[in-house]
């Protein structure tokens, strides 16, 4: 396990195609290439792993709206996969910090809205509370935190698809950093769960 900078550990998770895209060429809602892999055993185990020690979820507004709409009902679904239900219950019950320039009131419980640079907000979170801070599938928040070298652990799912378009998580201009592979698992469809810790 890597040493963190001062305060709580900051983790982030993201799913990527082989060509490093966070969605398909059709835009932010294009996840057709990812769909066959998100409910595999490896992906579900990975999801359980990433929120195990997290007590704060950090999200962009778009992800918060999509996540809460999708996961909210699963939290109360007795027939859901226990890993899905566990994640859903964690997401609905944990402290949430949602970045938004447009919302004035949070429509979700235990949610604080912020409109400030991500490194400033996360630096404040690191100084208070306990448990990990999970930046949850929000590339627009992860990128500035990578640029500020504030992420201690990366949870990545790599799906064996080349989308040929779409946004990238890792853009040119990020500072050079070194990471240690802490965990890896490959599924039957070729999907890979990877955990990297920042080598400090």
């Amino acid at each position: 396990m890597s040493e963190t900078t001062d305060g709580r550990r900051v983790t982030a998770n993201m799913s990527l195609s082989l060509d490093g895209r966070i969605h398909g060429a059709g835009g932010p809602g294009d996840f057709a290439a990812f769909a066959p892999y998100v409910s595999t055993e490896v992906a579900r185990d990975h999801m359980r792993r990433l929120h195990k020690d997290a007590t704060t979820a950090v999200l962009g507004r778009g992800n918060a709206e999509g996540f809460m709409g999708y996961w909210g009902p699963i939290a109360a679904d007795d027939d859901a996969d226990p890993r899905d239900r566990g994640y859903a219950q964690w997401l609905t019950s944990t402290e949430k910090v949602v970045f938004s320039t447009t919302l004035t009131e949070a429509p979700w419980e235990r949610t604080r809205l912020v409109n400030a640079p991500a490194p400033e907000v996360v630096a404040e979170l690191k100084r208070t509370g306990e448990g990990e801070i999970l930046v949850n599938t929000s590339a627009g928040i992860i990128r500035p935190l990578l640029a500020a070298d504030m992420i201690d652990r990366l949870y990545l799912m790599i799906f064996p698809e080349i989308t040929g378009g779409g946004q990238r998580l890792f853009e040119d201009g990020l500072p050079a950093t070194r990471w240690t592979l802490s965990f890896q698992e490959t599924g039957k469809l070729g999907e890979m769960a990877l955990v990297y810790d920042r080598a400090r």
Side-chain angles (χ1 to χ4, degrees):
M1 188 178 297
S2 69
E3 291 295 320
T4 66
T5 54
D6 293 339
R8 303 162 68 187
R9 180 158 69 171
V10 180
T11 69
N13 74 296
M14 185 60 69
S15 296
L16 301 173
S17 64
L18 279 181
D19 52 343
R21 313 289 184 168
I22 63 174
H23 57 69
D30 179 5
F31 295 106
F34 294 4
Y37 311 99
V38 295
S39 60
T40 65
E41 293 298 303
V42 166
R44 281 180 158 142
D45 286 344
H46 188 68
M47 184 168 60
R48 180 169 54 189
R49 190 178 303 115
L50 64 89
H51 73 84
K52 180 172 66 74
D53 297 319
T55 56
T56 302
V58 176
L59 306 108
R61 190 212 68 197
N63 274 348
E65 289 175 341
F67 280 18
M68 298 307 290
Y70 178 80
W71 290 107
I74 292 175
D77 184 356
D78 292 337
D79 295 326
D81 183 285
R83 293 162 295 187
D84 292 353
R85 190 174 184 207
Y87 174 79
Q89 290 173 338
W90 170 80
L91 184 64
T92 56
S93 65
T94 200
E95 173 194 25
K96 288 170 284 295
V97 176
V98 175
F99 283 77
S100 176
T101 59
T102 56
L103 291 179
T104 56
E105 186 174 329
W108 315 285
E109 293 183 2
R110 289 171 287 282
T111 301
R112 177 164 60 102
L113 297 175
V114 295
N115 181 10
E120 292 181 13
V121 173
V122 171
E124 176 196 340
L125 290 172
K126 284 171 65 68
R127 291 191 294 267
T128 59
E130 297 180 350
E132 293 181 352
I133 300 162
L134 172 61
V135 185
N136 208 350
T137 320
S138 298
I141 302 169
I142 295 172
R143 289 191 199 101
L145 293 177
L146 284 170
D149 196 15
M150 292 181 68
I151 293 181
D152 303 301
R153 170 170 282 188
L154 282 170
Y155 292 94
L156 301 177
M157 280 297 305
I158 309 298
F159 298 140
E161 303 271 348
I162 292 175
T163 65
Q167 293 183 0
R168 297 183 185 276
L169 176 62
F170 302 108
E171 297 176 327
D172 290 347
L174 289 173
T177 51
R178 187 167 58 88
W179 298 77
T180 301
L181 180 64
S182 300
F183 180 87
Q184 63 179 332
E185 185 177 14
T186 303
K188 294 179 180 178
L189 300 178
E191 74 280 15
M192 295 183 65
L194 303 170
V195 180
Y196 283 99
D197 283 321
R198 176 73 172 93
R200 299 192 186 278

